[in-house]
Amino acid sequence: MTADRPASLPAAPRRRRYGLTIQSKLLVMLLGVSLASSVIVGVIGFVNGRDSLRDDAFEQLTTIRELRTEEIEREFASIQNGVVLDSRNASAVEGATALVDAFADLQATPLEPDQDAVVEAFYEETFVPALEERSGLDYAPEAFVPASPAGRYLQYHYTAQRALDDFDAGLALTDAGDGSAWSAANAEYGPYFTGLVDALGYEDVLITDREGNVVYSAYKSVDLGVNLNEEPYASSTLATATNEVLRNGSLDEVVTTDFERYLPSLNVPTAWVASPIGSATEIVGVLAVQVPIDQINAVMTGNGRWAEQGLGETGEVYLAGSDLLMRSTSRLLAENPESYVDTVVANGTPRAVAERIAEVNGTVQLQPVDFPSTRAAVAGETGTALTADYTDSSSLVAYAPLDIDGLSWVIVAHMDADEAFAPVADFTRNIVISTLAILLAVSVLSLLLAQVFTRPVKKLVDAVRRVAGGDLAVAVPQGSRDEFGDLGAAFNDMAASLRVKQELIDEQRVENAKLLHTLMPETMAARYREGEETIAEEHENVSVVYAELIGFDAHAEKLNGQEEITELNLLMRGFDDAAVSCGVEKVRTLRGGYLASSGLIVPRVDNVRRAVDFARQMREVVARFNAQTGASIELRAGVDTGTVTSGLVARTSLAYDLWGDAVNLAHRVRSVTGEPGVYVSQSVRDRLADTVPFSEVGSVELHGVRQPVWRVG
């Protein structure tokens, strides 16, 4: 019994091995070297990449700061040079002289009491209430009424009788019709000065005489006719600038002022560029141009295209003065005014100041920027820093002083650190993920390499099991050049041979299925494949079309065999297409005819109408065929509806056919007259009498009963 069952013998005991196996040693070595190298490379790449990205962020911000610096310095230089040139223009000199002289003449022209009352009412009821609402302070109206008769005169005729904010009307007013020399001078020379406002975008153009009287204002505003050396203007930067220009006595002199809250502009921050007007022998006054703050903001904001110019979602460039207050608009205020107060308050701005900024919708001389970077720039330093700013506690900042004559301004470009260093964060995350992925890949690869000696056998066993299970697409690798490689090659050859044979069998099965489907309906083909030999099915309410070609044989006598087959196929394809279009099923095709049904395979309520429509379309197909080939073929078609039987005929030569009374009657009615056309039985005519015209053409006998035959009109 032992000899018959050797498998039952106990296996020889394996000798115990101590220490690591070769597979384990190989795994440890591969893991140790690979993991160590991956970590070292990852750390080096992380440090170098992080530093490079941080440097790039600082460099980009510095570049933007430099570009803005050049633009703003060029903008102020252009304004200063323009004011110097405009003040030397002959029209400016002549106009200023005429206006100064005319103003002096008006000193002897006091207003009537009722006219004086109009001026005083303007300040009491219009200007001062508007100023107090804008500034939040209280003012005495009488402090603003010009002290001189000339000033009162001009304000009565040009200022007090129009709306305070109607600047266009003031700019267009050239002659009040008072007949004064000043109005004549304004009518003659005013267009030159107002043209500077229109062409160069100045906020306003003023002319003062040597005593500080404002003898001209392009907008004819509240400052027209006042004396800058008297209160409440004596301590203004405009008064200081005009006095400095006159004191130096040079026509080349130009003085630029910092922003100051200018009372005639309703306490809005205003900056001026002033230059003397006169000739080489005499200075008659000063031309003072109000710096257009919109142009400054346009330069600093890049016309509002921060993101497009590399500043992302939080970056901006702004100006600040030596008082550590902003001199340009804030991006945050421009883009998100609703969140401005909470944001800047959270970063150190007093709430009252923030609310005031939101109320006046302006940050100039309001928003404090007292931060290390701004203080360093005010001290004349240029550099970059990671420090706090007014919108974020951690910002990337590039700062520098500006070189603008007369101004101690600095420029600061900043961006929230989270956004500026987003590439660094992305890079860090990618490095960590990549390193972890490499470590995982190395671990898996080491494990795979350690198992390389047992894998070929395992793969071959697995492949054999899959073939046994019917998967003939399996193949084993043939990388090794040993016995395992030879065994794998032999196995692959065997599997390939089996696969080719299976594919041939599958292809033949598909071809057989296609052939069956061309011969019979799918349901009958399924029964035939299951082994049934005698198959017949009875169908009720089926319409049958039996069509016969007339004259095709005579036409075919003119053709050779290939041409005959080609044209016959052309006709039959046309019939097939018509069958598909009408929802009719083809039963079989004869050389000179066509048998089809409607409602056989797919039951249809309107099978009678479809059958008649198909017969009509067959005649249209024949007509098109005749037009294409020059033939004279006709078609007779018979249509009946009723019960039919379908099934397989014969055993050695398999054929699918249709028979029954409906087929027989359809065959017979087609030949009642012998003429081409579509002929139908009485049952078809009864079903379609209301929709299709019919004419009776004869009768046929079926089961001893004669039935009329109708022709479709």
Side-chain angles (χ1 to χ4, degrees):
M1 186 164 181
T2 303
D4 294 336
R5 298 183 63 189
S8 63
L9 293 174
R14 298 181 60 186
R15 190 165 65 179
R16 186 178 180 84
R17 299 178 61 90
Y18 296 94
L20 295 175
T21 63
I22 294 178
Q23 176 179 333
S24 300
K25 291 179 180 179
L26 180 61
L27 178 60
V28 170
M29 287 188 293
L30 289 174
L31 284 175
V33 173
S34 301
L35 295 180
S37 60
S38 298
V39 171
I40 292 173
V41 171
V43 170
I44 294 175
F46 166 71
V47 172
N48 292 338
R50 180 195 60 187
D51 293 344
S52 178
L53 288 173
R54 289 172 68 93
D55 292 342
D56 287 345
F58 276 109
E59 184 176 350
Q60 179 180 0
L61 200 60
T62 301
T63 300
I64 294 173
R65 181 204 67 197
E66 291 300 320
L67 292 174
R68 291 286 191 275
T69 298
E70 293 178 4
E71 291 179 23
I72 195 63
E73 289 177 349
R74 185 167 55 248
E75 179 71 20
F76 268 94
S78 175
I79 295 174
Q80 291 169 343
N81 292 334
V83 172
V84 172
L85 293 176
D86 293 336
S87 66
R88 291 183 178 183
N89 186 281
S91 296
V93 175
E94 293 174 4
T97 301
L99 290 167
V100 168
D101 292 342
F103 187 85
D105 292 342
L106 288 176
Q107 296 289 19
T109 309
L111 291 177
E112 298 295 331
D114 57 336
Q115 295 175 331
D116 248 342
V118 171
V119 176
E120 292 174 358
F122 167 76
Y123 282 98
E124 184 174 351
E125 299 172 5
T126 302
F127 174 73
V128 169
L131 177 61
E132 291 177 342
E133 180 180 1
R134 171 75 185 188
S135 65
L137 302 175
D138 295 329
Y139 293 93
E142 59 272 13
F144 296 95
V145 179
S148 67
R152 288 171 174 263
Y153 182 93
L154 291 179
Q155 290 212 357
Y156 170 75
H157 288 91
Y158 286 90
T159 305
Q161 300 186 63
R162 61 181 175 85
L164 183 64
D165 57 353
D166 193 355
F167 301 109
D168 291 337
L171 198 66
L173 184 55
T174 57
D175 190 347
D178 59 325
S180 65
W182 192 95
S183 292
N186 181 54
E188 181 177 358
Y189 298 103
Y192 170 78
F193 298 109
T194 57
L196 298 180
V197 175
D198 290 333
L200 302 178
Y202 296 147
E203 293 291 339
D204 199 356
V205 174
L206 303 183
I207 298 175
T208 70
D209 60 16
R210 297 182 61 85
E211 285 73 37
N213 293 305
V214 179
V215 301
Y216 176 80
S217 167
Y219 286 106
K220 289 80 176 178
S221 188
V222 175
D223 44 11
L224 177 61
V226 303
N227 190 294
L228 297 179
N229 295 322
E230 298 176 358
E231 294 299 335
Y233 308 106
S235 58
S236 66
T237 58
L238 177 59
T240 303
T242 56
N243 289 330
E244 183 178 350
V245 166
L246 293 171
R247 182 170 58 252
N248 292 336
S250 171
L251 290 177
D252 296 329
E253 184 71 17
V254 60
V255 174
T256 303
T257 74
D258 198 348
F259 279 106
E260 182 184 55
R261 299 199 171 276
Y262 188 54
L263 294 175
S265 296
L266 298 181
N267 219 38
V268 173
T270 305
W272 300 89
V273 176
S275 184
I277 301 178
S279 62
T281 58
E282 183 183 11
I283 294 177
V284 298
V286 176
L287 176 68
V289 170
Q290 188 175 342
V291 175
I293 192 170
D294 289 342
Q295 291 186 22
I296 295 176
N297 287 331
V299 171
M300 301 313 297
T301 64
N303 291 312
R305 294 181 290 119
W306 291 278
E308 299 174 23
Q309 297 178 359
L311 288 169
E313 298 296 326
T314 61
E316 68 171 326
V317 185
Y318 63 81
L319 300 174
S322 57
D323 56 0
L324 301 179
L325 297 176
M326 287 183 65
R327 293 297 193 271
S328 59
T329 193
S330 163
R331 175 182 182 177
L332 180 61
L333 182 64
E335 290 188 332
N336 299 295
E338 63 280 355
S339 64
Y340 184 87
V341 173
D342 292 337
T343 301
V344 298
V345 168
N347 289 279
T349 301
R351 178 166 292 276
V353 174
E355 292 176 349
R356 180 62 181 167
I357 291 172
E359 181 182 355
V360 302
N361 193 32
T363 54
V364 176
Q365 288 189 314
L366 283 176
Q367 177 60 56
V369 285
D370 186 4
F371 302 102
S373 55
T374 317
R375 292 195 294 271
V378 170
E381 299 177 16
T382 298
T384 58
L386 183 61
T387 182
D389 207 276
Y390 78 102
T391 60
D392 193 76
S393 59
S394 179
S395 295
L396 192 66
V397 180
Y399 55 88
L402 288 176
D403 183 17
I404 300 176
D405 186 28
L407 297 178
S408 298
W409 287 2
V410 299
I411 186 169
V412 178
H414 79 102
M415 181 183 294
D416 289 357
D418 289 342
E419 181 180 13
F421 292 145
V424 178
D426 293 341
F427 174 75
T428 302
R429 182 174 59 254
N430 293 337
I431 283 290
V432 172
I433 294 174
S434 300
T435 302
L436 292 176
I438 291 173
L439 294 178
L440 178 61
V442 166
S443 300
V444 174
L445 181 60
S446 299
L447 181 60
L448 295 176
L449 291 176
Q451 296 176 345
V452 69
F453 296 109
T454 58
R455 179 173 297 170
V457 176
K458 292 180 180 179
K459 288 187 176 180
L460 188 58
V461 171
D462 180 64
V464 171
R465 289 175 178 170
R466 291 171 62 184
V467 170
D471 184 5
L472 301 180
V474 66
V476 296
Q478 304 178 40
S480 61
R481 297 184 180 181
D482 52 15
E483 289 79 358
F484 288 119
D486 295 339
L487 184 59
F491 172 83
N492 289 342
D493 291 341
M494 178 192 70
S497 177
L498 292 175
R499 186 165 58 252
V500 170
K501 293 178 181 178
Q502 185 62 44
E503 289 174 353
L504 292 175
I505 293 173
D506 293 340
E507 290 177 1
Q508 188 61 46
R509 184 182 295 111
V510 171
E511 291 299 325
N512 290 342
K514 290 181 179 179
L515 182 59
L516 283 177
H517 291 163
T518 61
L519 297 175
M520 63 191 74
E522 185 175 355
T523 56
M524 193 164 291
R527 294 176 61 186
Y528 178 76
R529 285 196 299 269
E530 291 174 358
E532 295 187 47
E533 295 182 353
T534 303
I535 304 174
E537 294 180 348
E538 187 172 282
H539 310 271
E540 296 181 356
N541 192 23
V542 176
S543 295
V544 179
V545 180
Y546 198 107
E548 177 185 17
L549 291 173
I550 303 173
F552 185 80
D553 289 339
H555 174 68
E557 292 178 356
K558 308 173 187 177
L559 310 174
N560 58 38
Q562 182 63 41
E563 292 173 340
E564 180 181 353
I565 291 297
T566 299
E567 294 194 2
L568 184 59
N569 285 339
L570 178 63
L571 265 175
M572 294 308 160
R573 281 197 300 271
F575 294 160
D576 290 344
D577 292 340
V580 173
S581 173
C582 295
V584 172
E585 305 99 4
K586 179 178 74 173
V587 177
R588 55 187 169 89
T589 303
L590 306 175
R591 180 178 179 278
Y594 198 95
L595 179 61
S597 65
S598 177
L600 178 67
I601 298 175
V602 180
R604 300 184 186 276
V605 176
D606 60 344
N607 61 78
V608 175
R609 180 187 59 79
R610 290 175 181 270
V612 173
D613 289 345
F614 172 62
R616 286 172 158 180
Q617 287 197 24
M618 291 182 74
R619 297 202 68 199
E620 295 176 2
V621 171
V622 170
R624 289 196 298 270
F625 176 82
N626 290 339
Q628 293 175 5
T629 62
S632 301
I633 299 172
E634 293 290 349
L635 182 129
R636 286 197 302 257
V639 183
D640 188 30
T641 182
T643 302
V644 300
T645 302
S646 65
L648 299 182
V649 180
R651 296 179 61 184
T652 56
S653 178
L654 191 65
Y656 172 73
D657 206 352
L658 193 69
W659 62 88
D661 289 346
V663 178
N664 185 25
L665 191 56
H667 177 267
R668 295 177 62 187
V669 299
R670 86 189 196 292
S671 58
V672 168
T673 66
E675 296 295 324
V678 178
Y679 300 89
V680 303
S681 65
Q682 181 64 36
S683 58
V684 173
R685 191 259 181 187
D686 292 343
R687 297 276 290 272
L688 300 178
D690 295 335
T691 58
V692 178
F694 295 99
S695 59
E696 187 173 355
V697 294
S699 64
V700 296
E701 183 177 339
L702 181 67
H703 301 307
V705 178
R706 298 203 64 82
Q707 294 190 18
V709 177
W710 302 83
R711 176 169 178 161
V712 178

